[in-house]
């Protein structure tokens, strides 16, 4: 037997102590332990050690228990607040999407009406509509890029 097989068996034995092994690994381990006295002894020693550790009573100090409970409660409140904020963000996103959809439809009809009143070709007022709708997003993007560039320049001049 090579040492890789023993090493793999020891790793699988240690893993099996904390979780269930996949079928192929469990079958290989069972077959290996039946034929290898060293790994069989390792399994027995591992079982005895786990049994011995479980037999040792562990008592926690009251202050440790109280501090742990307080931290768990605080973390639970943080997670609950996070879920509430996330729910509020989702509702806000749905409301913004609905308002944007309704205002886009209304704006489309307004541009169509204005185009027919001025007797513009449909392609002209449609291009005007898209420019009107995309301008705020483009301006915001340019301003954010300029802000990031400004902050990067300020940070590099501060460090230098």
């Amino acid at each position: 037997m090579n040492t890789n097989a023993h090493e793999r068996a020891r790793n699988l034995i240690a893993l099996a102590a904390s979780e269930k092994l996949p079928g192929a690994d469990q079958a290989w381990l069972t077959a290996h332990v039946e034929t290898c006295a060293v790994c069989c002894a390792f399994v027995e020693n591992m079982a005895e050690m786990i049994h011995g550790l479980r037999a040792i009573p562990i008592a926690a100090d009251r202050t440790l228990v109280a501090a742990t409970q307080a931290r768990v409660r605080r973390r639970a409140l943080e997670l609950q607040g996070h879920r509430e904020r996330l729910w509020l963000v989702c509702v806000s996103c749905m409301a913004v999407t609905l308002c944007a959809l309704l205002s886009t439809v209304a704006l489309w009809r307004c541009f169509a009406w204005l185009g027919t009143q001025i007797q513009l070709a449909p392609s002209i007022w449609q291009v005007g509509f898209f420019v009107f709708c995309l301008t705020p997003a483009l301006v915001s993007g340019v301003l954010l890029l300029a802000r990031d560039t400004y902050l990067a320049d300020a940070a590099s001049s501060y460090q230098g």
Side-chain angles (χ1 to χ4, degrees):
M1 272 290 145
N2 61 16
T3 57
N4 286 341
H6 293 300
E7 188 66 31
R8 179 179 179 208
R10 286 188 178 133
N11 288 337
L12 289 175
I13 292 166
L15 191 62
S18 63
E19 63 186 56
K20 185 172 171 81
L21 291 177
D25 287 337
Q26 182 65 43
W28 181 88
L29 181 61
T30 303
H32 178 78
V33 169
E34 288 175 357
T35 60
C36 179
V38 175
C39 291
C40 183
F42 186 78
V43 168
E44 290 171 0
N45 289 337
M46 177 77 94
E48 287 176 18
M49 182 182 66
I50 290 173
H51 180 69
L53 287 173
R54 288 185 178 159
I56 298 173
I58 298 175
D61 185 23
R62 287 182 180 173
T63 56
L64 176 63
V65 172
T68 303
Q69 288 175 340
R71 287 187 183 123
V72 168
R73 284 187 192 109
R74 188 176 334 126
R75 181 65 180 148
L77 289 173
E78 287 175 8
L79 290 174
Q80 181 182 4
H82 178 71
R83 273 189 303 249
E84 290 171 357
R85 284 189 299 275
L86 186 61
W87 182 81
L88 185 61
V89 166
C90 289
V91 169
S92 298
C93 286
M94 288 189 304
V96 165
T97 301
L98 181 64
C99 289
L101 181 65
L102 294 175
S103 64
T104 302
V105 169
L107 192 61
W108 177 265
R109 290 186 178 180
C110 182
F111 267 79
W113 177 81
L114 191 60
T116 56
Q117 292 298 318
I118 303 176
Q119 298 178 351
L120 292 174
S123 60
I124 294 176
W125 67 261
Q126 289 171 356
V127 168
F129 169 79
F130 287 117
V131 168
F132 186 81
C133 286
L134 292 178
T135 300
L138 292 174
V139 169
S140 299
V142 168
L143 290 176
L144 288 173
L145 285 173
R147 177 180 166 262
D148 286 345
T149 304
Y150 173 76
L151 291 175
D153 289 344
S156 65
S157 66
Y158 177 74
Q159 290 175 355

